[in-house]
Amino acid sequence: MILRSIIRRLYSPQILNMITIQLLVILAYSYIYWILHKWHNWDENMFADGGYFDALYFTVVTHFSIGYGDITPRTRILKAICMSQIIIAFILFNII
């Protein structure tokens, strides 16, 4: 009964909407980081191979406030984008 109640709550529309929003934010920021690195080359040492997976990895680590420090933004624009992502993630986690 308890497990069934937990599963029912996980599949509620509110939880599914928040998970969807979190995933969209992660994908959007990883795309932004990848585009800025690949096309504009604003931070040439940020990603090892310049691939999307590195941008996605950085975004997930930043979004969930883990922050290993192995990839760091070095330019002001990337630092500003990273700060905005942290603020948005903080707001989204407090809504849940």
Side-chain angles (χ1 to χ4, degrees), residues 1-17:
M1 288 249 226
I2 294 174
L3 183 60
R4 186 179 300 170
S5 173
I6 292 171
I7 291 173
R8 198 174 306 144
R9 287 184 186 176
L10 285 177
Y11 286 108
S12 70
Q14 294 86 5
I15 297 294
L16 291 177
N17 286 339

Side-chain angles (χ1 to χ4, degrees), residues 26-27 30-31 34 47 51-61:
I26 288 171
L27 291 175
S30 61
Y31 185 72
W34 179 69
F47 303 129
Y52 182 76
F53 184 77
D54 287 339
L56 182 63
Y57 166 79
F58 175 72
T59 305
V60 169
V61 168

Side-chain angles (χ1 to χ4, degrees), residues 68-87:
Y68 292 124
D70 55 343
I71 300 175
T72 56
R74 292 181 181 90
T75 61
R76 288 183 181 168
I77 187 72
L78 288 175
K79 288 178 182 179
I81 292 170
C82 186
M83 287 188 295
S84 73
Q85 179 192 357
I86 293 168
I87 291 168

Side-chain angles (χ1 to χ4, degrees), residues 16-42:
L16 291 177
N17 286 339
M18 287 310 301
I19 290 171
T20 303
I21 290 170
Q22 296 279 3
L23 289 175
L24 289 175
V25 167
I26 288 171
L27 291 175
Y29 271 99
S30 61
Y31 185 72
I32 289 169
Y33 290 129
W34 179 69
I35 289 296
L36 289 178
H37 176 73
K38 186 152 184 91
W39 290 353
H40 298 289
N41 205 14
W42 281 351

